[in-house]
Amino acid sequence: MEVKNKFWSDDPVLEKELDQVALLMKKQIKIQNKDIQQAIFDLLDAGGKRLRPAYLLLFAGFTSLKKEETYALAASIELLHTATLIHDDVIDHADTRRGVKTLSTKYSPEIAVYGGDYLFVAVFKLLAQHTFDTSNLVKHIDAMERLLGGELGQLDHHFDLNQSMADYLKNISGKTGELFALSACAAPLVQKENRLASLANKIGMAIGIAFQIMDDYLDYASDEATLGKPVFEDVKQGIYSAPVLFALEENRPVVEQLILNEQYDALYHWIKNSHALESTKNLARTYTNTALDLIEKLPDHKNKKSIAQLTYKLLERTL
């Protein structure tokens, strides 16, 4: 059930490379239960942008990494991302992801956890097949630890109406930023180009934070049909993202009462008619501009412009 994502229609070369990465990912997934295997394939095909492997491919252009090694790294990043999505859906009791039923809904939470765990194994099998340096595997483990730290930090602040913007930014730095940072710096790390890896890591982190802020912005600026997931899902579970935090800053008594009384439609309309969305977009723009400034420091290469264009495109997306 492959869904062609139009996001890459203006870059057919990168789109073709991402198709190769997708094929490699599927080759790694060999589960005895074919229904579950197909459900994972459906999630992989359901129109995700594949931004993390795209950034990995673009940053790999600054190195001498072979194509097959680059594809393996990109596939491992996206498998890792998909595994975290499957587990997130179990924790969040989510019914849909990218417009298709989640594994936990289609089968059971237990099956979904198994599927996510299997993808973690597939990641390291793929890396081992290409005999990447053990020190680089450690980098993956460190990033996963920080990613989990972001998830746990978010859990610590469930239903916390006194959460600060600093708390929110710290959590999304781990939850989303770390995987973007790893995507950007993985190829230079493998090539032991440490200065380039350090710069790429900073760029990826800024991109990841901006991306998550925009995701949270779109939760309130878009509708369920456009998003491919239920609106209000986060706030119902006590996860207060940037639009809610900015709304609380603007009028805490009113917004608190709407949340405490579970008046989600009213909260949605209040946020839409306040300055909260504008403030959220401006925050995303700040991190995007940080990334663009850092991108200017990259060595001269045709991919430099592509990285900058993609990063700006993410700020202006509507999905």
Side-chain angles (χ1 to χ4, degrees):
M1 122 173 187
E2 186 157 358
V3 176
K4 199 70 172 175
N5 196 312
K6 296 179 181 179
F7 191 82
W8 303 108
S9 57
D10 58 349
D11 194 339
V13 174
L14 184 55
E15 183 178 42
K16 191 172 181 180
E17 289 195 315
L18 287 170
D19 287 343
Q20 292 299 310
V21 172
L23 287 173
L24 182 55
M25 289 165 61
K26 287 186 177 181
K27 286 181 181 177
Q28 301 302 309
I29 301 169
K30 298 174 183 177
I31 300 177
Q32 284 186 333
N33 187 313
K34 297 304 177 186
D35 288 338
I36 297 171
Q37 178 170 291
Q38 188 57 51
I40 293 175
F41 285 174
D42 288 347
L43 177 57
L44 294 176
D45 290 337
K49 298 181 189 67
R50 297 173 183 160
L51 291 169
R52 294 152 189 83
Y55 274 111
L56 191 144
L57 293 170
L58 290 170
F59 276 94
F62 294 90
T63 74
S64 58
L65 207 62
K66 296 176 182 177
K67 279 291 182 188
E68 59 268 24
E69 293 176 323
T70 302
Y71 291 160
L73 277 176
S76 73
I77 287 288
E78 189 64 0
L79 286 170
L80 188 60
H81 176 229
T82 305
T84 63
L85 294 183
I86 292 172
H87 284 169
D88 280 353
D89 289 339
V90 175
I91 294 168
D92 296 341
H93 307 288
D95 294 327
T96 60
R97 165 76 66 173
R98 298 171 182 166
V100 301
K101 286 184 178 180
T102 60
L103 260 70
S104 54
T105 299
K106 194 168 186 178
Y107 298 101
S108 68
E110 293 81 6
I111 291 295
V113 170
Y114 166 78
D117 288 348
Y118 178 87
L119 293 187
F120 283 121
V121 173
V123 168
F124 289 102
K125 282 177 67 178
L126 182 55
L127 293 172
Q129 286 168 15
H130 291 267
T131 60
F132 290 119
D133 191 310
T134 305
S135 64
N136 296 308
L137 291 178
V138 172
K139 291 289 182 182
H140 280 256
I141 294 167
D142 287 348
M144 281 304 298
E145 183 178 2
R146 291 189 292 271
L147 188 155
L148 179 60
E151 293 285 3
L152 291 174
Q154 182 174 277
L155 186 63
D156 287 342
H157 288 287
H158 270 202
F159 298 102
D160 180 7
L161 288 165
N162 294 312
Q163 177 189 175
S164 69
M165 189 61 69
D167 293 328
Y168 164 77
L169 290 170
K170 181 180 178 181
N171 292 338
I172 66 172
S173 295
K175 175 187 171 184
T176 305
E178 283 295 343
L179 209 47
F180 272 91
L182 183 60
S183 301
C185 74
L189 277 174
V190 167
Q191 294 278 277
K192 301 190 185 304
E193 296 182 24
N194 293 333
R195 289 183 66 182
L196 177 59
S198 177
L199 176 57
N201 185 281
K202 292 174 184 175
I203 294 169
M205 178 59 75
I207 291 169
I209 293 172
F211 176 81
Q212 185 59 58
I213 294 169
M214 277 304 298
D215 250 21
D216 295 336
Y217 167 89
L218 291 170
D219 280 346
Y220 292 88
S222 300
D223 56 30
E224 187 170 328
T226 304
L227 285 174
K229 64 178 181 179
V231 295
F232 310 138
E233 201 59 39
D234 281 354
V235 74
K236 285 179 181 178
Q237 294 176 20
I239 300 171
Y240 306 138
S241 58
V244 176
L245 296 179
F246 279 122
L248 283 165
E249 285 182 9
E250 192 167 330
N251 194 328
R252 177 169 289 273
V254 169
V255 175
E256 269 193 4
Q257 283 306 306
L258 292 175
I259 293 171
L260 292 173
N261 293 329
E262 300 182 359
Q263 294 176 277
Y264 301 121
D265 284 325
L267 175 66
Y268 173 80
H269 290 294
W270 198 97
I271 288 174
K272 291 270 282 189
N273 292 303
S274 71
H275 297 291
L277 287 182
E278 181 185 356
S279 298
T280 301
K281 183 74 176 281
N282 286 338
L283 184 61
R285 185 176 288 109
T286 297
Y287 279 93
T288 298
N289 288 337
T290 296
L292 291 172
D293 288 343
L294 291 169
I295 290 166
E296 280 300 309
K297 298 180 181 180
L298 288 169
D300 288 334
H301 188 279
K302 62 182 178 64
N303 285 7
K304 182 175 178 177
K305 183 178 180 181
S306 297
I307 292 168
Q309 288 176 335
L310 173 57
T311 300
Y312 184 76
K313 183 178 180 179
L314 293 180
L315 178 68
E316 298 304 325
R317 76 189 195 278
T318 57
L319 177 62

